[in-house]
Amino acid sequence: MARHLYIAGTDRWNDLIRDTLQIEQVLTKTIDACSFQLRGEKPTAGEEVRVIDDSLGCLFGGIIDKVELAQDIWGLEQVWKVEAQDYTYMLNRRKVVETYENMAADAIVKDIITKYGGGDFTTNHVRTGAPTVEMLVFGYASPFDALKEIADYCGWDFLIDYDKDVWFFNPAGEASSAPMVLEPGGYFRNLKHSINQEGLRNRVYVRGGTMLSDPWTYEVKAD
């Protein structure tokens, strides 16, 4: 079972400091992260990193966003601490400036990826049949935040996988198994879990509705 750590297309697995590779994956609309320490040539922020297991496939794919010196061994060898985000980092290079009205949410997602994805992302897993959006206005929002707002609006969910494909789907209609089976001999160790209270409520307030005005122009002259 061989593993690989590709940085800008070069396999640096032999330079990896043992037991420093950490991958944090959270289901759906949360950015995955990866960190590790590497000896030798310094990686560069903005380079692509992919962790591959020949048996399991791609364990992580994304872009390096932080590199700092972790150790300098008598000036002869440097050890670098590297942090990376998934391909959301790459998607967020542009800002979304759009107004959508009376349009299906899945069509809006495809339009945003087409216009602001730079040709690097696909929409093969954007499901059709999403609710119609009455109106959404994006004023220089990141594409990730725009997708999150669309998903929240219609009660759907989304993610960006390690093949740079965007998923947009109704979670109630998706039936799939957990990504890993916890059994003796499995590919995991030092299992930890944590609980947070994000989204936890003992009261929920529901507004009856809103009223939209006609479009209007507002101008400000700066001094």
Side-chain angles (χ1 to χ4, degrees):
M1 178 185 66
R3 291 182 177 177
H4 312 273
L5 174 62
Y6 291 105
I7 299 178
T10 300
D11 192 353
R12 300 286 302 274
W13 185 262
N14 291 334
D15 296 331
L16 179 68
I17 302 299
R18 184 177 178 181
D19 295 331
T20 63
L21 177 63
Q22 296 184 354
I23 298 174
E24 181 179 350
Q25 296 176 323
V26 184
L27 298 179
T28 66
K29 53 179 181 289
T30 304
I31 299 173
D32 293 348
C34 177
S35 64
F36 52 88
Q37 292 187 18
L38 199 71
R39 64 170 62 88
E41 183 180 351
K42 179 182 179 181
T44 302
E47 291 181 329
E48 183 178 27
V49 55
R50 292 179 67 82
V51 182
I52 306 292
D53 184 293
D54 287 345
S55 300
L56 301 176
C58 184
L59 304 180
F60 179 83
I63 304 297
I64 295 174
D65 65 343
K66 185 177 181 181
V67 180
E68 60 183 21
L69 183 64
Q71 189 177 8
D72 190 334
I73 305 173
W74 302 103
L76 300 176
E77 183 178 72
Q78 287 77 41
V79 176
W80 306 98
K81 181 180 179 181
V82 183
E83 297 179 5
Q85 297 181 20
D86 66 22
Y87 289 114
T88 302
Y89 181 93
M90 188 176 181
L91 177 63
N92 282 342
R93 292 175 299 184
R94 297 168 177 82
K95 297 296 183 181
V96 179
V97 184
E98 298 285 345
T99 298
Y100 296 100
E101 188 173 3
N102 296 322
M103 191 171 176
D106 53 285
I108 297 176
V109 170
K110 289 183 177 181
D111 187 70
I112 289 174
I113 298 303
T114 298
K115 291 180 178 178
Y116 300 95
D120 298 308
F121 295 85
T122 56
T123 56
N124 297 327
H125 288 88
V126 173
R127 308 297 191 202
T128 59
T132 297
V133 172
E134 184 175 338
M135 177 175 283
L136 281 176
V137 179
F138 300 111
Y140 297 96
S142 69
F144 183 85
D145 287 342
L147 295 181
K148 187 175 186 300
E149 186 170 346
I150 297 167
D152 290 342
Y153 183 99
C154 65
W156 281 34
D157 217 333
F158 78 94
L159 62 88
I160 301 169
D161 68 20
Y162 296 149
D163 293 319
K164 303 177 192 173
D165 188 51
V166 177
W167 296 55
F168 183 69
F169 56 92
N170 181 359
E174 296 288 328
S176 60
S177 59
M180 179 179 289
V181 177
L182 302 183
E183 59 184 7
Y187 296 99
F188 64 91
R189 62 180 179 178
N190 301 326
L191 180 65
K192 298 179 181 180
H193 80 281
S194 61
I195 299 174
N196 65 55
Q197 297 186 9
E198 182 179 356
L200 180 64
R201 301 288 185 272
N202 54 18
R203 287 192 181 95
V204 177
Y205 297 92
V206 179
R207 296 177 59 184
T210 59
M211 182 179 68
L212 299 176
S213 69
D214 293 331
W216 58 290
T217 301
Y218 177 68
E219 297 180 358
V220 175
K221 183 177 181 180
D223 57 24

